[in-house]
Amino acid sequence: MLNIVEQFVQLLLKTPLGGALPALMVERLHNPTLAASFDPMVTRRREPVKIILERAVNRGELPTLDMELALDLIWGPVLLRALFISGDLTRAALLTLVRTALKGLGHTAHWS
């Protein structure tokens, strides 16, 4: 999961997407056509992490989850740091964010 989060952060930091994404997110709220195009892209971006979480639930490492909320808890802090507050996005910081989210979700296994 950490690799997926890191890849997305690199996409935000090293491509024009990072500069454009905040404006797109705001415009999406007022533009149904943009929302119709933008939302499936966001869903696809979240899908790999959703699969990882579902597998953890199936292995008993996580309790049954509100999957959308779980995804928000993982991606929200990453997006906040990447796009709005210029927070720490090092591998160590991202690992702490993901581990903290998983712990809050009830994760029982250790991973690195």
Side-chain angles (χ1 to χ4, degrees):
M1 182 180 318
L2 181 60
N3 289 336
I4 294 167
V5 172
E6 281 185 301
Q7 288 171 11
F8 182 67
V9 166
Q10 291 307 307
L11 181 70
L12 292 176
L13 297 178
K14 296 187 177 189
T15 71
L17 180 63
L21 192 56
L24 284 170
M25 291 176 359
V26 170
E27 181 60 26
R28 180 210 159 277
L29 296 173
H30 309 287
N31 184 329
T33 303
L34 179 59
S37 297
F38 189 77
D39 293 356
M41 179 186 70
V42 172
T43 299
R44 280 191 307 276
R45 174 60 61 184
R46 291 163 61 105
E47 189 64 24
V49 173
K50 180 180 178 184
I51 291 168
I52 291 168
L53 293 173
E54 288 171 340
R55 289 177 180 167
V57 169
N58 290 337
R59 288 189 304 265
E61 296 170 1
L62 282 170
T64 300
L65 298 172
D66 174 332
M67 198 56 67
E68 292 303 309
L69 176 60
L71 291 167
D72 291 347
L73 290 172
I74 292 167
W75 287 113
V78 173
L79 288 168
L80 182 68
R81 286 185 177 192
L83 300 176
F84 298 104
I85 64 169
S86 300
D88 187 356
L89 293 168
T90 61
R91 181 175 180 82
L94 293 173
L95 179 60
T96 298
L97 285 173
V98 171
R99 279 184 174 163
T100 302
L102 290 174
K103 184 178 178 182
L105 293 166
H107 194 260
T108 59
H110 177 75
W111 63 279
S112 55

